[in-house]
Amino acid sequence: MGKIVAVAMSGGVDSSVAAALLKEAGYEVFGITLNPWVAVPGQGAVADPRRRACSPDDVLDAREVAARLGIPHYVFNVQAEFRRWVLDYYVAEYRRGRTPNPCIPCNRLIRFGLLLKKALALGADYLATGHYARVREDADGYHLLRAVDPQKDQSYVLYGLGQFELSRSLFPLGEYTKAEVRAIAARLGLPVANKAESQDFCFLGGLDYRDWLALQVGTLNPGPIEDLSGRKLGEHRGIAFYTVGQRRGLGIAAGTPLYVAAIDPTRNAVIVGPEAALYRESVEAEDVHYVAGRPPEGPVRITARIRYRAPEAPATLEPRPDGSAVVRFDEPQRAPAPGQVVVFYRGDEVLGGGIIRRSAPVPAPAAVP
Protein backbone atom coordinates (compact mmCIF):
# COMPACT_ATOMS: atom_id res chain seq x y z
CA MET A 1 0.00 0.00 0.00
CA GLY A 2 3.05 2.26 0.19
CA LYS A 3 2.12 3.45 3.68
CA ILE A 4 4.34 3.11 6.74
CA VAL A 5 2.73 2.35 10.08
CA ALA A 6 4.31 2.45 13.54
CA VAL A 7 2.51 0.10 15.92
CA ALA A 8 2.55 0.75 19.66
CA MET A 9 3.45 -2.75 20.87
CA SER A 10 2.91 -3.39 24.57
CA GLY A 11 3.77 -7.07 24.46
CA GLY A 12 0.12 -8.08 24.75
CA VAL A 13 -2.07 -9.98 22.33
CA ASP A 14 -4.05 -6.93 21.15
CA SER A 15 -1.17 -4.78 19.90
CA SER A 16 0.56 -7.88 18.52
CA VAL A 17 -2.46 -8.78 16.41
CA ALA A 18 -2.83 -5.14 15.34
CA ALA A 19 0.70 -5.29 13.92
CA ALA A 20 0.02 -8.62 12.22
CA LEU A 21 -3.22 -7.44 10.60
CA LEU A 22 -1.56 -4.33 9.21
CA LYS A 23 1.30 -6.33 7.75
CA GLU A 24 -1.17 -8.75 6.17
CA ALA A 25 -2.99 -5.73 4.68
CA GLY A 26 0.16 -4.62 2.90
CA TYR A 27 1.45 -1.83 5.10
CA GLU A 28 5.13 -1.41 5.90
CA VAL A 29 5.12 -1.94 9.67
CA PHE A 30 7.52 -1.36 12.52
CA GLY A 31 6.94 -1.67 16.26
CA ILE A 32 7.59 0.76 19.08
CA THR A 33 7.49 -0.20 22.75
CA LEU A 34 7.58 2.46 25.42
CA ASN A 35 9.53 1.78 28.61
CA PRO A 36 8.24 3.99 31.43
CA TRP A 37 9.96 2.20 34.29
CA VAL A 38 13.61 3.25 34.31
CA ALA A 39 14.29 4.67 37.78
CA VAL A 40 14.04 8.45 38.17
CA PRO A 41 16.35 9.69 40.98
CA GLY A 42 14.56 11.27 43.92
CA GLN A 43 11.12 9.90 43.08
CA GLY A 44 9.00 7.55 45.16
CA ALA A 45 9.08 3.78 44.82
CA VAL A 46 6.85 1.94 42.39
CA ALA A 47 5.35 -1.53 42.53
CA ASP A 48 7.12 -4.78 41.68
CA PRO A 49 8.36 -4.31 38.07
CA ARG A 50 7.64 -7.95 37.26
CA ARG A 51 3.93 -7.43 37.89
CA ARG A 52 3.48 -4.11 36.10
CA ALA A 53 2.32 -3.72 32.54
CA CYS A 54 5.12 -2.62 30.20
CA SER A 55 7.45 -4.73 32.34
CA PRO A 56 10.82 -6.00 31.05
CA ASP A 57 9.10 -9.30 30.20
CA ASP A 58 6.49 -7.42 28.17
CA VAL A 59 9.24 -5.66 26.22
CA LEU A 60 10.78 -9.05 25.44
CA ASP A 61 7.38 -10.38 24.35
CA ALA A 62 6.93 -7.43 21.99
CA ARG A 63 10.39 -8.00 20.56
CA GLU A 64 9.69 -11.71 20.03
CA VAL A 65 6.41 -10.94 18.23
CA ALA A 66 8.17 -8.37 16.02
CA ALA A 67 10.81 -10.98 15.13
CA ARG A 68 8.08 -13.52 14.34
CA LEU A 69 6.39 -10.99 12.04
CA GLY A 70 9.69 -9.91 10.49
CA ILE A 71 9.32 -6.23 11.36
CA PRO A 72 11.74 -3.78 13.00
CA HIS A 73 11.23 -3.06 16.70
CA TYR A 74 12.34 -0.08 18.78
CA VAL A 75 12.17 0.70 22.50
CA PHE A 76 11.96 4.27 23.80
CA ASN A 77 12.43 5.31 27.42
CA VAL A 78 9.71 7.69 28.56
CA GLN A 79 10.24 7.46 32.31
CA ALA A 80 10.47 11.18 33.04
CA GLU A 81 7.39 12.00 30.97
CA PHE A 82 5.39 9.10 32.42
CA ARG A 83 6.30 10.12 35.94
CA ARG A 84 5.39 13.78 35.35
CA TRP A 85 2.30 13.43 33.17
CA VAL A 86 0.74 10.28 34.61
CA LEU A 87 2.04 9.24 38.04
CA ASP A 88 2.48 12.73 39.51
CA TYR A 89 -0.91 13.71 38.10
CA TYR A 90 -2.54 10.66 39.68
CA VAL A 91 -1.07 11.43 43.11
CA ALA A 92 -1.83 15.17 42.90
CA GLU A 93 -5.47 14.55 42.02
CA TYR A 94 -5.98 12.25 44.99
CA ARG A 95 -4.33 14.84 47.23
CA ARG A 96 -7.04 17.25 46.03
CA GLY A 97 -9.76 14.83 47.07
CA ARG A 98 -10.49 13.85 43.46
CA THR A 99 -10.60 10.47 41.69
CA PRO A 100 -8.42 10.52 38.56
CA ASN A 101 -8.25 8.13 35.62
CA PRO A 102 -4.56 7.95 34.64
CA CYS A 103 -5.35 6.32 31.29
CA ILE A 104 -6.65 9.68 30.07
CA PRO A 105 -3.38 11.69 30.26
CA CYS A 106 -1.42 8.59 29.23
CA ASN A 107 -3.34 8.28 25.97
CA ARG A 108 -3.51 12.00 25.27
CA LEU A 109 0.06 12.95 26.20
CA ILE A 110 2.11 9.75 25.97
CA ARG A 111 0.60 7.53 23.25
CA PHE A 112 -1.02 10.09 20.95
CA GLY A 113 1.32 12.92 21.91
CA LEU A 114 4.89 11.87 22.51
CA LEU A 115 4.70 8.47 20.75
CA LEU A 116 2.87 9.85 17.72
CA LYS A 117 5.55 12.51 17.29
CA LYS A 118 8.30 9.88 17.53
CA ALA A 119 6.52 7.70 14.99
CA LEU A 120 6.14 10.53 12.49
CA ALA A 121 9.77 11.55 13.02
CA LEU A 122 10.78 7.99 12.11
CA GLY A 123 8.94 8.29 8.80
CA ALA A 124 5.62 6.69 9.67
CA ASP A 125 2.42 7.86 8.02
CA TYR A 126 0.28 6.47 10.85
CA LEU A 127 0.42 5.30 14.44
CA ALA A 128 -1.59 2.16 15.19
CA THR A 129 -2.54 0.78 18.60
CA GLY A 130 -4.39 -2.22 19.95
CA HIS A 131 -7.30 -0.11 21.22
CA TYR A 132 -10.78 -1.38 20.47
CA ALA A 133 -12.23 1.65 18.70
CA ARG A 134 -12.94 2.84 15.14
CA VAL A 135 -12.32 5.94 13.03
CA ARG A 136 -14.55 7.09 10.19
CA GLU A 137 -13.76 9.87 7.73
CA ASP A 138 -16.36 11.81 5.77
CA ALA A 139 -16.93 15.32 4.46
CA ASP A 140 -17.22 16.64 8.02
CA GLY A 141 -13.82 15.29 9.07
CA TYR A 142 -12.77 12.40 11.27
CA HIS A 143 -15.14 10.71 13.69
CA LEU A 144 -14.25 8.51 16.67
CA LEU A 145 -16.59 5.53 17.03
CA ARG A 146 -17.01 2.83 19.63
CA ALA A 147 -15.78 -0.68 18.80
CA VAL A 148 -18.16 -3.34 17.53
CA ASP A 149 -17.43 -5.43 20.65
CA PRO A 150 -19.19 -3.61 23.51
CA GLN A 151 -17.32 -5.65 26.11
CA LYS A 152 -13.95 -4.42 24.86
CA ASP A 153 -14.83 -0.94 23.60
CA GLN A 154 -12.14 1.58 24.66
CA SER A 155 -13.47 4.71 22.98
CA TYR A 156 -14.05 6.23 26.44
CA VAL A 157 -10.31 6.68 27.10
CA LEU A 158 -9.73 8.13 23.61
CA TYR A 159 -12.18 11.04 23.88
CA GLY A 160 -9.25 13.48 24.04
CA LEU A 161 -8.12 12.78 20.47
CA GLY A 162 -8.69 15.51 17.90
CA GLN A 163 -8.79 15.77 14.15
CA PHE A 164 -5.02 15.63 13.66
CA GLU A 165 -4.56 12.59 15.91
CA LEU A 166 -7.42 10.72 14.25
CA SER A 167 -6.08 11.53 10.79
CA ARG A 168 -2.83 9.79 11.75
CA SER A 169 -4.25 6.90 13.81
CA LEU A 170 -5.28 3.37 12.94
CA PHE A 171 -7.25 1.02 15.20
CA PRO A 172 -7.16 -2.37 13.42
CA LEU A 173 -9.10 -4.18 16.17
CA GLY A 174 -12.20 -1.99 16.11
CA GLU A 175 -14.15 -4.44 13.98
CA TYR A 176 -13.14 -7.54 15.96
CA THR A 177 -14.18 -9.24 19.19
CA LYS A 178 -11.60 -10.31 21.73
CA ALA A 179 -12.24 -13.97 20.92
CA GLU A 180 -11.56 -13.28 17.24
CA VAL A 181 -8.33 -11.46 18.11
CA ARG A 182 -7.06 -14.41 20.15
CA ALA A 183 -8.01 -16.76 17.32
CA ILE A 184 -5.98 -14.67 14.87
CA ALA A 185 -3.00 -14.74 17.24
CA ALA A 186 -3.26 -18.52 17.50
CA ARG A 187 -3.55 -18.91 13.72
CA LEU A 188 -0.39 -16.87 13.25
CA GLY A 189 1.46 -18.74 15.98
CA LEU A 190 2.12 -15.59 18.00
CA PRO A 191 3.70 -16.42 21.39
CA VAL A 192 1.27 -14.10 23.22
CA ALA A 193 -1.93 -15.72 21.91
CA ASN A 194 -2.94 -16.89 25.39
CA LYS A 195 -1.27 -14.16 27.43
CA ALA A 196 -3.46 -12.89 30.26
CA GLU A 197 -4.75 -9.34 30.19
CA SER A 198 -3.80 -6.68 32.69
CA GLN A 199 -6.89 -5.91 34.76
CA ASP A 200 -5.74 -2.76 36.54
CA PHE A 201 -3.80 0.43 36.00
CA CYS A 202 -0.43 -0.49 34.56
CA PHE A 203 1.66 0.94 37.41
CA LEU A 204 -0.13 -0.70 40.35
CA GLY A 205 1.58 -4.05 39.86
CA GLY A 206 -1.09 -5.95 41.79
CA LEU A 207 -1.28 -3.43 44.63
CA ASP A 208 -4.47 -1.81 45.86
CA TYR A 209 -4.35 1.81 44.75
CA ARG A 210 -4.31 2.98 48.39
CA ASP A 211 -1.21 0.91 49.12
CA TRP A 212 0.43 2.30 45.99
CA LEU A 213 -0.45 5.85 47.04
CA ALA A 214 1.05 5.21 50.46
CA LEU A 215 4.36 4.35 48.74
CA GLN A 216 4.25 7.70 46.97
CA VAL A 217 2.97 10.12 49.60
CA GLY A 218 3.78 8.49 52.93
CA THR A 219 1.79 10.01 55.78
CA LEU A 220 -0.99 12.48 55.07
CA ASN A 221 -2.81 14.75 57.50
CA PRO A 222 -5.70 12.93 59.19
CA GLY A 223 -9.02 14.69 59.50
CA PRO A 224 -12.66 14.25 60.44
CA ILE A 225 -15.19 11.87 58.95
CA GLU A 226 -18.52 13.65 59.20
CA ASP A 227 -22.12 12.81 58.45
CA LEU A 228 -24.30 15.00 56.24
CA SER A 229 -25.22 17.20 59.20
CA GLY A 230 -21.58 17.90 60.09
CA ARG A 231 -21.43 15.56 63.10
CA LYS A 232 -18.04 13.92 63.52
CA LEU A 233 -18.20 10.14 63.33
CA GLY A 234 -14.50 9.28 63.21
CA GLU A 235 -11.16 10.20 61.71
CA HIS A 236 -9.69 9.47 58.30
CA ARG A 237 -6.01 8.85 57.52
CA GLY A 238 -5.77 11.31 54.63
CA ILE A 239 -8.25 12.32 51.92
CA ALA A 240 -6.05 10.76 49.21
CA PHE A 241 -7.11 7.32 50.43
CA TYR A 242 -10.85 7.88 49.88
CA THR A 243 -13.14 8.24 46.90
CA VAL A 244 -16.78 9.09 46.36
CA GLY A 245 -18.95 5.98 46.58
CA GLN A 246 -16.52 4.09 48.84
CA ARG A 247 -18.07 1.98 51.59
CA ARG A 248 -15.35 -0.28 52.93
CA GLY A 249 -12.41 0.85 54.99
CA LEU A 250 -14.10 3.83 56.63
CA GLY A 251 -13.39 2.57 60.13
CA ILE A 252 -16.65 3.81 61.61
CA ALA A 253 -19.60 1.93 63.07
CA ALA A 254 -23.16 2.88 62.20
CA GLY A 255 -26.56 1.27 62.29
CA THR A 256 -26.92 1.57 58.50
CA PRO A 257 -24.38 1.31 55.66
CA LEU A 258 -22.53 4.57 55.03
CA TYR A 259 -20.71 5.67 51.88
CA VAL A 260 -18.33 8.49 51.03
CA ALA A 261 -20.72 11.11 49.66
CA ALA A 262 -18.19 13.94 49.23
CA ILE A 263 -14.63 15.00 50.03
CA ASP A 264 -13.93 18.56 51.20
CA PRO A 265 -10.22 19.30 50.63
CA THR A 266 -10.48 22.83 52.07
CA ARG A 267 -11.49 21.40 55.46
CA ASN A 268 -9.65 18.09 55.00
CA ALA A 269 -12.95 16.32 55.70
CA VAL A 270 -14.60 13.15 54.39
CA ILE A 271 -18.40 13.36 54.37
CA VAL A 272 -20.43 10.16 54.53
CA GLY A 273 -24.08 9.38 54.14
CA PRO A 274 -26.59 6.73 53.06
CA GLU A 275 -26.54 5.39 49.51
CA ALA A 276 -29.30 7.81 48.50
CA ALA A 277 -26.82 10.67 49.07
CA LEU A 278 -24.64 9.39 46.23
CA TYR A 279 -27.09 10.17 43.42
CA ARG A 280 -26.67 13.28 41.26
CA GLU A 281 -28.93 14.82 38.65
CA SER A 282 -26.17 16.63 36.76
CA VAL A 283 -22.41 17.08 36.53
CA GLU A 284 -20.29 20.06 35.55
CA ALA A 285 -17.19 19.28 33.49
CA GLU A 286 -13.99 21.25 32.96
CA ASP A 287 -11.15 20.85 30.44
CA VAL A 288 -13.81 19.80 27.94
CA HIS A 289 -12.58 18.47 24.61
CA TYR A 290 -14.65 17.92 21.47
CA VAL A 291 -13.39 15.47 18.85
CA ALA A 292 -14.65 17.73 16.06
CA GLY A 293 -12.60 20.62 17.46
CA ARG A 294 -15.65 22.71 18.33
CA PRO A 295 -18.65 22.37 20.67
CA PRO A 296 -22.12 21.65 19.35
CA GLU A 297 -24.40 24.64 18.91
CA GLY A 298 -26.67 24.84 21.91
CA PRO A 299 -27.92 21.97 24.09
CA VAL A 300 -27.91 18.54 22.43
CA ARG A 301 -29.24 15.15 23.39
CA ILE A 302 -26.56 12.58 24.16
CA THR A 303 -25.79 9.54 26.20
CA ALA A 304 -23.05 10.03 28.80
CA ARG A 305 -20.73 7.73 30.70
CA ILE A 306 -19.40 8.99 34.05
CA ARG A 307 -16.62 6.40 34.41
CA TYR A 308 -15.01 3.74 32.27
CA ARG A 309 -17.29 0.80 32.99
CA ALA A 310 -20.43 2.73 33.92
CA PRO A 311 -23.48 2.23 31.71
CA GLU A 312 -24.33 5.08 29.39
CA ALA A 313 -27.22 7.25 30.50
CA PRO A 314 -29.52 9.51 28.44
CA ALA A 315 -28.76 13.17 29.10
CA THR A 316 -28.62 16.69 27.70
CA LEU A 317 -25.24 18.31 27.04
CA GLU A 318 -25.08 22.07 27.56
CA PRO A 319 -21.77 23.61 26.35
CA ARG A 320 -20.76 26.84 28.08
CA PRO A 321 -18.93 29.85 26.58
CA ASP A 322 -16.00 29.42 29.01
CA GLY A 323 -15.25 25.94 27.65
CA SER A 324 -16.89 24.01 30.45
CA ALA A 325 -20.10 22.01 30.06
CA VAL A 326 -23.04 20.74 32.07
CA VAL A 327 -24.53 17.29 31.59
CA ARG A 328 -28.11 16.92 32.86
CA PHE A 329 -29.21 13.31 33.21
CA ASP A 330 -32.72 12.05 32.59
CA GLU A 331 -32.34 9.84 35.66
CA PRO A 332 -30.02 10.48 38.66
CA GLN A 333 -26.61 8.81 38.40
CA ARG A 334 -24.80 7.04 41.23
CA ALA A 335 -21.57 8.49 42.61
CA PRO A 336 -20.08 10.67 39.86
CA ALA A 337 -16.70 11.59 41.34
CA PRO A 338 -14.80 14.84 40.81
CA GLY A 339 -11.67 14.07 38.80
CA GLN A 340 -13.29 11.27 36.82
CA VAL A 341 -14.20 11.74 33.16
CA VAL A 342 -17.65 12.15 31.67
CA VAL A 343 -17.71 11.19 27.98
CA PHE A 344 -20.41 12.27 25.53
CA TYR A 345 -21.82 9.90 22.90
CA ARG A 346 -24.25 10.29 20.03
CA GLY A 347 -25.11 6.79 18.94
CA ASP A 348 -21.80 5.05 18.24
CA GLU A 349 -19.89 8.33 17.95
CA VAL A 350 -17.79 9.92 20.68
CA LEU A 351 -18.49 13.66 20.68
CA GLY A 352 -15.98 14.46 23.42
CA GLY A 353 -15.73 14.62 27.18
CA GLY A 354 -14.32 16.44 30.16
CA ILE A 355 -13.16 16.14 33.76
CA ILE A 356 -15.96 16.19 36.33
CA ARG A 357 -15.55 19.29 38.49
CA ARG A 358 -18.66 19.07 40.62
CA SER A 359 -22.12 17.55 40.63
CA ALA A 360 -25.59 18.60 41.67
CA PRO A 361 -27.44 16.41 44.17
CA VAL A 362 -30.99 15.31 43.64
CA PRO A 363 -33.27 17.92 45.26
CA ALA A 364 -34.92 16.85 48.47
CA PRO A 365 -38.67 16.18 48.19
CA ALA A 366 -40.81 19.21 48.95
CA ALA A 367 -42.29 19.25 52.43
CA VAL A 368 -45.89 18.18 52.64
CA PRO A 369 -48.02 21.05 54.01
Side-chain angles (χ1 to χ4, degrees):
M1 298 183 66
K3 295 291 187 180
I4 302 173
V5 182
V7 181
M9 299 182 68
S10 66
V13 64
D14 292 331
S15 59
S16 299
V17 169
L21 289 173
L22 289 167
K23 186 179 180 187
E24 282 189 341
Y27 290 94
E28 182 179 341
V29 178
F30 65 91
I32 298 179
T33 300
L34 296 180
N35 174 20
W37 300 124
V38 178
V40 179
Q43 298 290 356
V46 293
D48 183 348
R50 295 166 298 179
R51 301 187 63 188
R52 297 182 307 228
C54 300
S55 69
D57 287 343
D58 292 327
V59 175
L60 292 176
D61 285 342
R63 179 157 292 171
E64 185 177 354
V65 169
R68 183 71 60 90
L69 297 176
I71 63 175
H73 178 253
Y74 305 95
V75 178
F76 290 116
N77 291 331
V78 293
Q79 62 272 23
E81 294 86 355
F82 189 77
R83 167 64 68 174
R84 181 169 67 251
W85 295 338
V86 179
L87 302 186
D88 288 352
Y89 163 82
Y90 188 74
V91 172
E93 285 289 271
Y94 268 110
R95 282 183 178 274
R96 296 175 60 194
R98 288 157 61 107
T99 305
N101 184 331
C103 297
I104 302 303
C106 185
N107 279 301
R108 183 169 61 89
L109 299 174
I110 302 290
R111 284 193 179 91
F112 296 94
L114 182 64
L115 178 55
L116 177 56
K117 290 178 181 177
K118 287 184 178 292
L120 297 178
L122 288 171
D125 298 294
Y126 300 103
L127 172 69
T129 72
H131 285 99
Y132 287 78
R134 294 177 292 158
V135 177
R136 186 187 73 221
E137 182 187 7
D138 61 21
D140 294 326
Y142 292 88
H143 304 265
L144 176 63
L145 308 178
R146 71 175 86 241
V148 298
D149 184 350
Q151 300 302 315
K152 292 300 298 179
D153 173 53
Q154 294 171 299
S155 60
Y156 174 92
V157 298
L158 301 176
Y159 83 91
L161 302 187
Q163 292 296 291
F164 173 74
E165 290 83 7
L166 292 179
S167 74
R168 296 288 188 157
S169 299
L170 298 175
F171 302 119
L173 306 189
E175 302 286 345
Y176 294 88
T177 66
K178 184 70 176 195
E180 290 170 333
V181 167
R182 288 203 182 275
I184 293 170
R187 170 175 63 83
L188 296 174
L190 299 183
V192 295
N194 296 312
K195 187 174 180 177
E197 290 187 83
S198 175
Q199 298 295 324
D200 215 331
F201 295 139
C202 66
F203 51 84
L204 294 181
L207 293 177
D208 179 86
Y209 84 91
R210 298 175 187 86
D211 296 329
W212 185 88
L213 282 172
L215 288 174
Q216 310 303 308
V217 304
T219 303
L220 289 173
N221 293 328
I225 298 177
E226 302 173 349
D227 65 15
L228 299 176
S229 68
R231 180 169 61 99
K232 183 176 179 179
L233 302 179
E235 190 170 85
H236 65 75
R237 62 190 184 107
I239 60 172
F241 302 115
Y242 300 82
T243 187
V244 170
Q246 178 179 336
R247 178 183 174 185
R248 296 183 178 181
L250 300 182
I252 53 177
T256 58
L258 294 177
Y259 301 80
V260 175
I263 297 173
D264 186 345
T266 60
R267 296 193 305 110
N268 192 35
V270 172
I271 295 91
V272 299
E275 186 175 18
L278 301 178
Y279 286 84
R280 298 290 187 267
E281 65 175 6
S282 66
V283 297
E284 180 182 310
E286 60 189 5
D287 298 328
V288 177
H289 170 83
Y290 297 99
V291 174
R294 61 189 182 279
E297 296 182 3
V300 293
R301 292 291 295 168
I302 61 168
T303 57
R305 179 174 287 169
I306 58 171
R307 53 189 164 267
Y308 184 39
R309 290 302 182 190
E312 290 174 39
T316 299
L317 169 65
E318 299 176 3
R320 288 178 168 176
D322 65 357
S324 65
V326 173
V327 178
R328 303 189 189 280
F329 298 102
D330 292 4
E331 299 289 338
Q333 297 299 296
R334 187 184 187 278
Q340 280 282 10
V341 168
V342 54
V343 173
F344 323 136
Y345 290 84
R346 182 171 54 202
D348 278 346
E349 183 175 3
V350 178
L351 298 182
I355 308 296
I356 296 174
R357 178 161 56 195
R358 61 175 67 96
S359 59
V362 177
V368 178

